[in-house]
Amino acid sequence: DTAVSQTPKYLVTQMGNDKSIKCEQNLGHDTMYWYKQDSKKFLKIMFSYNNKELIINETVPNRFSPKSPDKAHLNLHINSLELGDSAVYFCASSPGERTDTQYFGPGTRLTVL
Amino acid sequence: RKEVEQDPGPFNVPEGATVAFNCTYSNSASQSFFWYRQDCRKEPKLLMSVYSSGNEDGRFTAQLNRASQYISLLIRDSKLSDSATYLCVVNAWMDSSYKLIFGSGTRLLVRP
């Protein structure tokens, strides 16, 4: 019973391609997040949705577009992939936007060639 | 200046040793504080929250000094399974929302 799941786990693609990463949580949480962890292991928030509404939108290239079809799902679409997009992308969820504890998915390791 | 700063390590200690990690944060509006643990190629997982009065969970003790904006984690009687990266995390109200701000982590290696 995976609480927060992501697909795919690994993604290798060429520069310029468009790709999507999917995230689902079965915890009944209202808030979901996307984080990026770069090669220096620095974990940084990208987006957050609360009940399908965007509440955090950090300064990321507009090639990155999140979509939340319902509160259990938060997908991330990336257009025109660049070498610098190579990183591990983690999805997370929490009961509410003010809730401290976040539960992370296993991560998607994206490699752009 | 990074919002949350940690010594990257690695801290290389024998089993049974006591080891301490420190962390400083720059946002005085930070509301709550945590230590997360991240194993190699895995996701971060909450280890423990950190309270002003200090708190303990088994072999782990966390301390917070709000005046100095300083957080610590003490691990006693280190086990091989404690080898991981320990992330110092603060929850702050920034740009009209609460955000978890992560340090880049301190790596711990416990050797037999």
Side-chain angles (χ1 to χ4, degrees), chain B residues 36-89:
Chain B
Y36 274 70
R37 170 191 169 133
Q38 187 172 23
D39 291 289
C40 188
R41 293 185 167 259
K42 297 284 187 183
E43 72 272 24
K45 290 184 180 175
L46 179 66
L47 178 67
M48 60 194 301
S49 300
V50 187
Y51 303 115
S52 297
S53 52
N55 49 296
E56 192 173 301
D57 183 0
R59 299 181 291 108
F60 299 83
T61 301
Q63 296 275 356
L64 166 65
N65 184 323
R66 282 187 186 267
S68 304
Q69 295 182 192
Y70 172 94
I71 306 163
S72 66
L73 177 68
L74 182 79
I75 305 175
R76 289 181 299 278
D77 189 23
S78 298
K79 310 290 183 196
L80 295 176
S81 57
D82 293 336
S83 296
T85 297
Y86 291 83
L87 304 170
C88 178
V89 185

Side-chain angles (χ1 to χ4, degrees), chain A residues 37 42 58 100 102 105 109, chain B residues 32 34 38 43 91 99:
Chain A
Q37 189 169 40
F42 192 53
E58 291 294 287
D100 296 331
Q102 294 184 13
R109 187 171 292 274
Chain B
S32 44
F34 312 91
Q38 187 172 23
E43 72 272 24
N91 190 1
K99 293 174 189 172

Side-chain angles (χ1 to χ4, degrees), chain A residues 33-76:
Chain A
Y33 311 81
W34 277 112
Y35 287 85
K36 178 180 180 180
Q37 189 169 40
D38 60 26
S39 57
K40 294 182 181 175
K41 307 300 181 189
F42 192 53
L43 195 68
K44 191 162 167 51
I45 183 81
M46 299 173 69
F47 302 103
S48 175
Y49 273 73
N50 187 58
N51 266 321
K52 302 194 296 175
E53 181 187 342
L54 182 66
I55 55 170
I56 296 176
N57 186 356
E58 291 294 287
T59 307
V60 298
N62 57 14
R63 299 181 293 104
F64 289 77
S65 52
K67 275 201 173 62
S68 182
D70 55 61
K71 73 174 195 177
H73 295 84
L74 180 61
N75 304 323
L76 183 65

